[in-house]
Amino acid sequence: MADDPRTPDWNPRADEVLGDQIRAYDTMRAQCPVAWSDYQHWTLFRHGDVMRVLEDHQTFSSAASSHLSVPNSMDPPEHTPYREIIEPYFSPQAMREFEPTCRSIARNLVDSLPDSQPFDVVERFSRAFALQIQCAFMGWPDSLHEPLREWVLKNHRATLASDRQAMADVAHEFDGYIHDLLETRRQAGPNAPRDVTTSLMEETVNDRTMTDEELTSLMRNWTVGELGTISSSVSILLSYLAEHPDLRQSLANDTTELTDAIDEILRMDAPLMSNRRITTREVEIGGRAIPAGEKVTVMWASANRDERVFGDPDAFCPHKNRDQNLLYGAGIHVCPGAPLARMELRVLMEEFLSAVHTVEPATDAHPERAVFPTGGFSYLPLTIKKQ
């Protein structure tokens, strides 16, 4: 689109945007709610416009990637059998069975945090939790923690730079990890561990087992989503509680409100900024004519702060805002892993709140926000005092 004659309405990569993405998106929502740019193409900032896209997959296709992406970049009917395979892995029973492992990981990490000394939440806590929990859920060895940590950072840098070669190299590197995991299980035969990865290898789609390419794509999507958004979510939550000690104390006293509180904090400050769609026909939205074949960026970080729906976007109103919260999307592509993410974050915060008496911003150190397409923080110095 480098030769596109259209004049950009904004620059998503401008310093003033990346310096405070949430406020920049608030401004765009008010001033130019359907905007064109060379980088994001068409960006939708309003809740109503985003919902229209999510509910009309025939006009706004998910097939916006040039690479196989199972099932994220699929539309019905292709999407349906893969979705049916995935959902049982996040059933209430599956969550109950995994919760003790999740709690053990969370408790050990909280116990490892320094008492009354500043530390970087991102490096010491949020990334470590996301890596350990993802590997545990999938049945992957602890030896993958460090390679996956490096892989996430490389993937983010390549995505931010729109470096197609680097992105391809990073994807190939991940494919190698998955290939080794699949091969290990095949060689083990009936002695292969009975975990999520082995179970996925035995699933059938349209009366056949999935190909290695499909399995790798599916596991890559799960891993990117889990490692990025869970880590971002944890940093956002701890930053918010450090700034709102009364809420921290209230939640410590009554953890039954935790899940709604977590969803509401992440509504205000998105861990995942956006997703993409592509138009299948010409469509008018927000007074702008969008031709067929155009990429559309659904901006979660703005839609979830739309004053028309939520009033003051920074007002903490979890019960009032629950039904309109797009934290996990909506429509046929609503996040299947939402039960897992909610359980992980609830358990982690239960363990944190039970062990920690106070949490405060560190003195003489300043947080650094992550930049698009990642939310949350890249550096978050806090100090805690344990019970």
Side-chain angles (χ1 to χ4, degrees):
M1 300 296 291
D3 298 326
D4 197 290
R6 284 171 283 201
T7 301
D9 298 304
W10 72 310
N11 178 6
R13 307 181 79 183
D15 290 343
E16 59 268 24
V17 172
L18 296 179
D20 193 343
Q21 293 179 101
I22 299 296
R23 301 305 166 192
Y25 302 155
D26 286 349
T27 299
M28 290 300 296
R29 185 173 62 253
Q31 297 180 359
C32 188
V34 179
W36 164 261
S37 67
D38 293 328
Y39 181 58
Q40 289 185 2
H41 299 194
W42 294 99
T43 305
L44 308 183
F45 293 95
R46 286 182 180 166
H47 190 280
D49 293 336
V50 167
M51 283 300 298
R52 179 179 167 189
V53 168
L54 301 180
E55 292 172 345
D56 184 2
H57 62 267
Q58 294 180 330
T59 301
F60 300 95
S61 168
S62 293
S65 173
S66 58
H67 304 287
L68 178 67
S69 182
V70 180
N72 302 32
S73 293
M74 293 176 170
D75 298 316
E78 183 185 27
H79 166 267
T80 307
Y82 293 97
R83 181 74 186 214
E84 290 174 348
I85 284 174
I86 290 169
E87 288 182 344
Y89 289 90
F90 306 103
S91 68
Q93 179 181 344
M95 296 304 93
R96 285 191 297 270
E97 291 174 355
F98 185 57
E99 182 169 332
T101 299
C102 179
R103 191 170 296 280
S104 176
I105 291 170
R107 184 171 296 166
N108 288 338
L109 274 172
V110 172
D111 288 347
S112 75
L113 296 177
D115 191 2
S116 303
Q117 297 178 16
F119 68 96
D120 176 15
V121 167
V122 176
E123 187 64 30
R124 287 289 300 271
F125 194 52
S126 64
R127 278 187 189 145
F129 179 68
L131 283 164
Q132 291 181 35
I133 211 74
Q134 173 67 1
C135 287
F137 181 71
M138 297 297 296
W140 296 349
D142 292 351
S143 58
L144 266 184
H145 291 172
E146 184 59 26
L148 280 177
R149 189 185 74 83
E150 290 294 327
W151 179 83
V152 169
L153 296 174
K154 285 187 283 189
N155 185 59
H156 177 64
R157 286 193 294 267
T159 303
L160 182 63
S162 294
D163 186 332
R164 293 186 179 277
Q165 184 57 52
M167 291 166 71
D169 291 343
V170 169
H172 182 71
E173 179 182 338
F174 184 86
D175 293 356
Y177 299 143
I178 300 300
H179 174 79
D180 290 345
L181 291 164
L182 299 180
E183 200 57 36
T184 298
R185 283 160 173 74
R186 288 189 177 117
Q187 291 178 6
N191 297 319
R194 300 311 307 169
D195 54 28
V196 168
T197 299
T198 302
S199 295
L200 284 170
M201 294 172 66
E202 297 168 353
E203 297 284 4
T204 57
V205 178
N206 301 322
D207 299 321
R208 61 168 178 81
T209 56
M210 283 188 281
T211 66
D212 281 8
E213 184 183 16
E214 289 169 324
L215 286 166
T216 301
S217 174
L218 175 58
M219 293 183 199
R220 188 192 307 123
N221 283 332
W222 279 11
T223 304
V224 171
E226 178 80 358
L227 297 185
T229 56
I230 290 295
S231 177
S232 296
S233 295
V234 173
S235 67
I236 291 166
L237 292 170
L238 264 61
S239 174
Y240 193 88
L241 294 182
E243 298 290 347
H244 298 82
D246 290 346
L247 177 62
R248 184 205 60 77
Q249 187 61 56
S250 173
L251 293 173
N253 294 339
D254 181 9
T255 58
T256 61
E257 297 294 322
L258 256 178
T259 295
D260 281 342
I262 289 168
D263 281 7
E264 176 69 348
I265 294 168
L266 300 179
R267 175 195 64 77
M268 294 185 280
D269 193 347
L272 175 65
M273 289 293 174
S274 68
N275 279 128
R276 290 192 305 171
R277 299 290 192 271
I278 190 166
T279 54
T280 61
R281 62 177 180 86
E282 183 175 343
V283 62
E284 182 177 310
I285 191 163
R288 306 290 295 267
I290 302 179
E294 294 279 282
K295 290 179 180 176
V296 174
T297 298
V298 172
M299 189 62 74
W300 308 116
S302 173
N304 252 350
R305 295 175 53 82
D306 192 334
E307 297 82 355
R308 297 181 178 192
V309 175
F310 302 105
D312 178 357
D314 291 307
F316 179 81
C317 304
H319 294 175
K320 179 176 79 71
N321 295 330
R322 177 196 297 144
D323 292 343
Q324 302 298 324
N325 191 340
L326 296 175
L327 175 61
Y328 294 103
I332 64 167
H333 282 283
V334 64
C335 179
L340 177 63
R342 283 193 169 106
M343 184 272 286
E344 290 171 347
L345 293 173
R346 171 183 58 80
V347 166
L348 182 67
M349 295 311 299
E350 285 174 353
E351 293 299 322
F352 183 85
L353 291 170
S354 70
V356 172
H357 179 62
T358 61
V359 53
E360 298 174 342
T363 56
D364 302 324
H366 300 286
E368 296 174 7
R369 297 292 308 213
V371 294
F372 189 91
T374 303
F377 295 82
S378 59
Y379 174 63
L380 178 62
L382 296 179
T383 301
I384 63 172
K385 292 182 181 178
K386 297 185 178 181
Q387 302 282 13

